[in-house]
Amino acid sequence: MSGTSKTSGFETHLARLRAAGEPTRLRLLLLLDRLDLTVSDLTALLNQSQPRISRHLKALVDAGLVRRFQEGAWAYFRAIDQGPARMALDGMLDPLDRDDGLIAEDMAKLDAIRQARSDRAAGYFAQNADQWNAIRAIHIAEDAVETAVLEMGLANTPKTLLDLGTGTGRMLELFGPHVERGTGIDTSRDMLALARAALERHGDRGLTVRLGDVYGDHSGIEGGSFNLIVLHQVLHFLEEPAIAMAQAAEVLARDGRMVIVDFAPHSAEFLRDEHAHRRLGVSSAQVGAWGAGAGLKVVETRRLPPPDGARDKLTVMVWSLTAS
Ligand SMILES: C[S@@+](CC[C@H](N)C(=O)[O-])C[C@H]1O[C@@H](n2cnc3c(N)ncnc32)[C@H](O)[C@@H]1O
């Protein structure tokens, strides 16, 4: 919020209160405070017609309480997260009891949506675990990406590595020769089974994997302090990257680095339909904002466009963050 005015004019504040002062809109604000949602999600959640929901959303967007952002063919909505409008929103939402009748029902339905989305991604990885290494190479120029990741990850000569969403353990293999200990976590048992087999072949006893969630508390892992944390092609599967990054920041050593690798924003819609992507790439602005929320700042960014002529591949971004 630095540099942002903390005050609002009388009319602006009144417009926000007016926009929110209606039962459906207050429910929408509570839902959008928790998750990015589409009009059709909200239509199903509140059991109201699409034109009605769209009208309410427009009023909330016009009042600056909700942000609309386009990702490929889909538009998502989310409650504003900073500035004077956020302060106003906190004033409206904080006193509400989330366990109260109607609100509790909305929150339970929201949890069901969140669960269904993560089940879908988990189902995808369960089905495709054995082909993951090949699938990953379809979309990116792998060698160039790995060279950049290695250079950026080794910038502070890390001793300990935490690889979040390790999948088949490729990042552990890549960094293994350069670190004393490396731990990968993943929610997919199928991916972990392959990672274990790969690490066994690799023969490095400092490298391990375990079942774990990027949203969880990592302080119980290996003393809970890591010089290097990697999130390689994971954020685009996540509902709430900001929470994952905040949890990771908790166990990042003071002089440590977090290296994030993901696709630049793109429009390959089939990745959402066929490969369970939750977002069509990630922008530098998003990484900056999620990082700032976790007390981190971006210190280096590299953009790796596909090699000439490789129209089937996507641009990959690598960001390096440290404590701010
Ligand atoms: C696209 S794969 C990337 C795997 C690996 N980092 C790589 O680049 O090869 C994404 C991985 O994130 C894992 N994942 C998704 N959501 C997760 C969560 N909430 N916690 C931990 N792992 C998660 C998936 O199971 C999957 O193995």
Side-chain angles (χ1 to χ4, degrees):
M1 268 181 44
S2 60
T4 319
S5 162
K6 290 192 175 164
T7 58
S8 303
F10 183 83
E11 289 302 330
T12 309
H13 192 59
L14 192 58
R16 289 184 196 126
L17 293 173
R18 284 202 172 114
E22 196 277 339
T24 300
R25 294 192 194 162
L26 206 50
R27 289 168 73 193
L28 284 170
L29 286 170
L30 282 163
L31 292 165
L32 294 171
D33 201 29
R34 292 267 305 276
L35 213 57
D36 303 345
L37 295 163
T38 62
V39 172
S40 48
D41 290 333
L42 291 162
T43 303
L45 274 162
L46 297 185
N47 200 18
Q48 295 189 17
S49 73
Q50 190 170 328
R52 236 186 108 109
I53 294 289
S54 297
R55 231 182 5 258
H56 285 311
L57 283 171
K58 181 170 183 319
L60 294 173
V61 171
D62 288 348
L65 293 170
V66 164
R67 202 164 56 88
R68 177 189 191 280
F69 52 98
Q70 192 76 31
E71 273 187 17
W74 295 12
Y76 283 93
F77 295 85
R78 183 78 192 230
I80 199 83
D81 61 356
Q82 55 181 333
R86 180 69 229 182
M87 291 171 66
L89 199 52
D90 285 340
M92 297 176 212
L93 302 185
D94 283 356
L96 288 168
D97 178 359
R98 298 330 190 241
D99 296 326
D100 186 46
L102 188 60
I103 301 177
E105 282 173 30
D106 287 349
M107 294 298 140
K109 285 193 213 156
L110 189 69
D111 285 341
I113 286 197
R114 194 201 309 257
Q115 193 56 46
R117 285 181 181 174
S118 69
D119 287 351
R120 184 167 172 264
Y124 170 81
F125 285 111
Q127 263 177 17
N128 292 288
D130 54 348
Q131 297 160 44
W132 172 247
N133 286 343
I135 292 175
R136 186 183 44 212
I138 294 173
H139 308 306
I140 61 171
E142 210 166 27
D143 290 350
V145 172
E146 293 195 348
T147 303
V149 174
L150 206 49
E151 275 174 21
M152 288 165 77
L154 294 180
N156 67 336
T157 49
K159 289 191 170 61
T160 50
L161 161 70
L162 178 63
D163 181 26
L164 295 172
T166 192
T168 51
R170 177 64 200 145
M171 288 298 111
L172 292 174
E173 284 188 86
L174 187 67
F175 281 100
H178 307 279
V179 295
E180 288 174 13
R181 282 180 297 112
T183 306
I185 68 159
D186 205 286
T187 41
S188 165
R189 290 178 197 276
D190 302 271
M191 289 297 232
L192 288 177
L194 291 164
R196 286 201 174 91
L199 295 180
E200 234 161 69
R201 283 197 300 276
H202 206 253
D204 184 337
R205 279 190 289 163
L207 303 177
T208 51
V209 291
R210 59 163 78 174
L211 194 66
D213 198 308
V214 296
Y215 298 129
D217 170 10
H218 314 307
S219 59
I221 305 174
E222 296 276 1
S225 176
F226 298 89
N227 312 114
L228 173 62
I229 298 181
V230 175
L231 281 141
H232 184 264
Q233 299 292 7
V234 175
L235 291 191
H236 65 252
F237 286 103
L238 298 183
E239 268 325 301
E240 296 180 275
I243 297 181
M245 285 177 66
Q247 291 291 41
E250 290 289 317
V251 291
L252 187 66
R254 188 69 212 155
D255 61 346
R257 291 208 170 209
M258 188 182 296
V259 172
I260 294 179
V261 186
D262 222 295
F263 298 124
H266 60 82
S267 54
E269 201 69 49
F270 78 97
L271 290 175
R272 186 144 48 199
D273 303 332
E274 294 168 26
H275 293 275
H277 287 206
R278 160 65 185 77
R279 15 188 116 244
L280 298 185
V282 171
S283 70
S284 287
Q286 284 174 311
V287 170
W290 295 329
L296 303 172
K297 64 170 187 281
V298 176
V299 289
E300 191 182 349
T301 302
R302 290 199 202 174
R303 185 182 174 79
L304 304 165
D308 287 349
R311 285 168 164 245
D312 55 329
K313 299 202 191 295
L314 299 170
T315 294
V316 172
M317 301 294 296
V318 190
W319 297 273
S320 179
L321 298 97
T322 59
S324 52

